Amino acid sequence: MTHTNNSPAVGDRVVHKQFLPISRHRLALYCGASGDHNPIHVDIDFAKASGFPDVFSHGMLVMGYLGQALSDAFPPDRIRAFSTRFAAITQVGAELTCEGTVAELFEVGGERRARLALTTKDQHGETKLAGEAVVAL
Amino acid sequence: MVDQSAVGHRFTPVTAHVEPGRLRYFLDTLGDGNPVYRDAAAAKADGYAGVPVPPTYLFCLEMLDNQKPFEFLTALDIDLGRVLHGEQSFVYHAPVVVGDTLTFSPRVVSVVDKKGGAMTLIVVETAVTNQDGVHVADTARTIVVRNGSPS
C-alpha cells in the first residue's frame, strides 16, 4: 500500500498487477486450493465431451488474481465489497493483467470510500473479468 | 431445465474452518506473497485480531469443507459439464481471521432463462456467520447453465 491510496482522485489508476501465464499445473493446484474439483478445469476428455476444445481456468482463479492485485493496493480490512462478471473464458496460457481505477468517491456513515472499476485482461487485450470494489480510504 | 420452483431452495449449511495451512496453499497457488496473510505477527502489527483471509477466499472455504460441494447441481438436476460461473460478489461486514469457524447458508434467490431458453441463470446467495454468530459476509454467485443439446 502506498499512502497515495488514502486520497486518490476519480480516474486514478490505483490497482495494477501482471501475472505469469496460467499453466495446466496451476489449474490442478487451484482445484486443491479452492475445493472446486470440477473436472472441466483439468480433464481434457471431460472438457471435450462438454463441448469445449480444451480445459480452461476456474473463474475464481482469475478473480483470485484480481483480488490479489486489489489487496496489494488496499489492505483486506479496508475492502468493503468486491464483485465481478466473468466476461469470457480464460484459456490455458493466458497472461493476465489486473487494473483498477477510481470511479467514484463517496462517504457512508462518516467513512470515506472509493468505488473502483476493475478489469482483468489477457495478453490479447480481451476482457476476462469486469468488476468493481468498494474500499475504505 | 431448472424452473422457478427452485427459487427459495436452501442447501445444507456448510461449517468451514479457516486453517493456516490450507490458506498458505491457496496463497502459494496464486503466488501471493503479501505477509499479512502469512505471518500472525505482521497481521497483529497491522492491527488485525488474527491473520485475515484474501478477498475471494470465502468462496474456497465454502467448497473445501462442503461434504457435498456440487449439491446445488445434483439438487437441481444439472449436469456439471453444462455450468459456467457467470458472476460472483462478496460484501464484507466484519473481519474473518485464521482460526474462525464459519457457517455458510446458501439459498437460490432467482432463476432466469436467457436467449430463448438456451441458457438459464441461477443466483445463489450465501450468508456467512462466524463462531460468535456475527454476520461476517454475504456472497452471491450466478451460475450459467447451458441448456443446448450436447454435440
Side-chain angles (χ1 to χ4, degrees):
Chain A
M1 188 194 92
T2 60
H3 79 279
T4 54
N5 282 341
N6 293 327
S7 53
V10 171
D12 283 0
R13 188 181 74 173
V14 289
V15 174
H16 176 74
K17 193 164 189 177
Q18 287 179 286
F19 294 91
L20 296 171
I22 294 177
S23 64
R24 294 172 195 278
H25 181 227
R26 193 72 47 201
L27 298 181
L29 290 174
Y30 191 77
C31 283
S34 67
D36 181 350
H37 296 176
N38 186 339
I40 209 153
H41 303 299
V42 286
D43 181 339
I44 194 167
D45 301 324
F46 185 91
K48 285 184 171 170
S50 302
F52 296 95
D54 196 355
V55 300
F56 55 90
S57 177
H58 304 74
M60 290 308 294
L61 171 58
V62 184
M63 190 177 187
Y65 283 128
L66 183 57
Q68 181 183 149
L70 176 64
S71 77
D72 276 4
F74 297 92
D77 62 343
R78 284 166 48 190
I79 302 170
R80 300 284 174 261
F82 180 31
S83 62
T84 58
R85 179 172 59 81
F86 299 98
I89 282 173
T90 301
Q91 287 86 5
V92 172
E95 297 171 40
L96 300 177
T97 300
C98 301
E99 302 213 316
T101 57
V102 177
E104 182 189 0
L105 295 166
F106 60 105
E107 200 172 300
V108 173
E111 182 175 85
R112 291 171 55 242
R113 295 183 176 181
R115 185 182 312 282
L116 311 179
L118 302 168
T119 59
T120 298
K121 295 181 179 178
D122 70 4
Q123 67 274 32
H124 308 297
E126 185 180 30
T127 298
K128 300 301 185 182
L129 298 194
E132 67 170 50
V134 173
V135 296
L137 299 174
Chain B
M1 289 269 284
V2 180
D3 61 39
Q4 294 296 319
S5 66
V7 175
H9 186 94
R10 288 177 182 274
F11 304 112
T12 311
V14 176
T15 301
H17 303 286
V18 188
E19 299 171 10
R22 290 196 313 198
L23 174 57
R24 203 158 50 241
Y25 175 32
F26 174 86
L27 297 168
D28 289 346
T29 295
L30 277 95
D32 190 335
N34 193 335
V36 76
Y37 298 129
R38 294 173 181 266
D39 180 351
K44 290 222 163 110
D46 281 354
Y48 293 88
V51 172
V53 298
T56 64
Y57 197 58
L58 290 173
F59 185 94
C60 303
L61 287 166
E62 186 179 355
M63 296 288 276
L64 285 164
D65 275 341
N66 198 333
Q67 304 282 321
K68 297 177 283 184
F70 295 114
E71 181 192 10
F72 73 95
L73 296 174
T74 49
L76 303 178
D77 197 25
I78 301 167
D79 180 31
L80 185 58
R82 292 196 182 193
V83 297
L84 293 171
H85 202 160
E87 296 180 27
Q88 180 68 39
S89 72
F90 301 90
V91 179
Y92 312 99
H93 305 301
V96 172
V97 297
V98 166
D100 281 351
T101 299
L102 305 179
T103 301
F104 294 80
S105 305
R107 69 190 194 287
V108 177
V109 296
S110 78
V111 174
V112 178
D113 283 333
K114 292 283 185 184
K115 299 189 177 173
M119 57 178 62
T120 304
L121 305 187
I122 303 169
V123 179
V124 177
E125 288 185 0
T126 302
V128 189
T129 54
N130 71 11
Q131 65 280 0
D132 300 318
V134 176
H135 182 187
V136 294
D138 288 293
T139 76
R141 70 178 83 175
T142 301
I143 299 148
V144 179
V145 185
R146 301 178 299 132
N147 294 319
S149 304
S151 53

